[in-house]
Amino acid sequence: MTKATLKIEGMMCGMCEAHICDVIRKTIPDASKVKASKSKGEATFLTETAVDEEELKKAIGDTGYTCLSVQKEPFEKKRWFF
Protein backbone atom coordinates (compact mmCIF):
# COMPACT_ATOMS: atom_id res chain seq x y z
CA MET A 1 0.00 0.00 0.00
CA THR A 2 1.23 3.50 -0.82
CA LYS A 3 0.53 6.81 0.90
CA ALA A 4 0.53 9.80 -1.45
CA THR A 5 0.88 13.38 -0.22
CA LEU A 6 0.08 16.20 -2.62
CA LYS A 7 1.10 19.82 -2.09
CA ILE A 8 -1.76 21.92 -3.45
CA GLU A 9 -1.99 25.66 -3.95
CA GLY A 10 -5.28 27.56 -4.08
CA MET A 11 -7.49 25.90 -1.44
CA MET A 12 -9.33 28.57 0.57
CA CYS A 13 -12.29 26.87 2.26
CA GLY A 14 -13.98 23.59 3.11
CA MET A 15 -15.58 23.36 -0.34
CA CYS A 16 -12.12 23.62 -1.91
CA GLU A 17 -11.05 20.65 0.23
CA ALA A 18 -14.13 18.71 -0.92
CA HIS A 19 -13.39 19.48 -4.60
CA ILE A 20 -9.82 18.19 -4.24
CA CYS A 21 -11.05 14.99 -2.54
CA ASP A 22 -13.60 14.44 -5.33
CA VAL A 23 -10.94 14.87 -8.02
CA ILE A 24 -8.64 12.38 -6.29
CA ARG A 25 -11.45 9.81 -5.96
CA LYS A 26 -12.37 10.18 -9.65
CA THR A 27 -8.77 10.01 -10.86
CA ILE A 28 -7.64 7.18 -8.52
CA PRO A 29 -10.73 4.92 -8.15
CA ASP A 30 -9.23 2.74 -5.41
CA ALA A 31 -8.03 5.69 -3.30
CA SER A 32 -8.99 5.43 0.37
CA LYS A 33 -8.63 7.66 3.44
CA VAL A 34 -8.75 10.71 1.13
CA LYS A 35 -8.23 13.93 3.08
CA ALA A 36 -7.44 17.53 2.14
CA SER A 37 -6.37 20.39 4.38
CA LYS A 38 -6.48 24.02 3.29
CA SER A 39 -4.40 25.09 6.31
CA LYS A 40 -1.59 22.65 5.44
CA GLY A 41 -2.03 23.13 1.70
CA GLU A 42 -1.99 19.41 1.09
CA ALA A 43 -4.07 16.32 0.40
CA THR A 44 -3.31 12.71 1.32
CA PHE A 45 -4.69 9.33 0.33
CA LEU A 46 -3.85 5.62 0.36
CA THR A 47 -3.84 3.42 -2.72
CA GLU A 48 -2.92 -0.09 -3.83
CA THR A 49 -2.26 0.89 -7.47
CA ALA A 50 0.47 3.02 -9.02
CA VAL A 51 -0.20 6.75 -9.05
CA ASP A 52 0.11 8.51 -12.41
CA GLU A 53 1.46 11.84 -11.17
CA GLU A 54 0.95 13.71 -14.45
CA GLU A 55 -2.67 12.57 -14.78
CA LEU A 56 -3.38 13.57 -11.18
CA LYS A 57 -1.69 16.99 -11.57
CA LYS A 58 -3.68 17.63 -14.77
CA ALA A 59 -7.00 16.64 -13.15
CA ILE A 60 -6.34 18.97 -10.20
CA GLY A 61 -5.19 21.74 -12.55
CA ASP A 62 -8.40 21.39 -14.57
CA THR A 63 -10.41 22.32 -11.45
CA GLY A 64 -8.47 25.56 -10.92
CA TYR A 65 -5.98 24.46 -8.25
CA THR A 66 -2.25 23.88 -8.66
CA CYS A 67 -0.59 20.63 -7.62
CA LEU A 68 2.97 21.59 -6.73
CA SER A 69 4.28 18.12 -5.90
CA VAL A 70 3.37 14.48 -5.36
CA GLN A 71 5.25 12.50 -2.73
CA LYS A 72 4.79 8.74 -2.40
CA GLU A 73 5.89 6.48 0.44
CA PRO A 74 5.16 2.91 1.54
CA PHE A 75 2.39 2.62 4.12
CA GLU A 76 1.79 -0.17 6.60
CA LYS A 77 -1.20 -0.44 8.87
CA LYS A 78 -0.42 -0.19 12.53
CA ARG A 79 -1.61 -3.25 14.38
CA TRP A 80 -2.88 -2.94 17.88
CA PHE A 81 -3.16 -6.66 18.60
CA PHE A 82 -0.62 -9.42 18.01
Side-chain angles (χ1 to χ4, degrees):
M1 187 168 281
T2 303
K3 178 181 179 180
T5 303
L6 311 155
K7 291 291 181 187
I8 299 173
E9 191 174 77
M11 290 190 290
M12 301 292 187
C13 64
M15 285 306 296
C16 295
E17 294 171 341
H19 287 142
I20 293 296
C21 290
D22 288 345
V23 168
I24 292 169
R25 286 186 187 105
K26 287 179 184 172
T27 308
I28 313 290
D30 78 328
S32 62
K33 306 265 186 195
V34 181
K35 297 177 187 169
S37 170
K38 67 181 183 314
S39 61
K40 291 181 182 177
E42 67 180 28
T44 60
F45 64 92
L46 302 177
T47 183
E48 292 285 343
T49 60
V51 176
D52 183 350
E53 293 181 29
E54 293 306 313
E55 180 183 0
L56 193 54
K57 285 181 178 181
K58 182 183 179 324
I60 290 171
D62 289 346
T63 61
Y65 304 97
T66 305
C67 182
L68 303 173
S69 67
V70 178
Q71 184 179 27
K72 297 177 277 187
E73 60 186 318
F75 178 82
E76 289 186 28
K77 277 187 175 181
K78 294 178 182 170
R79 298 188 180 201
W80 296 98
F81 302 103
F82 298 99

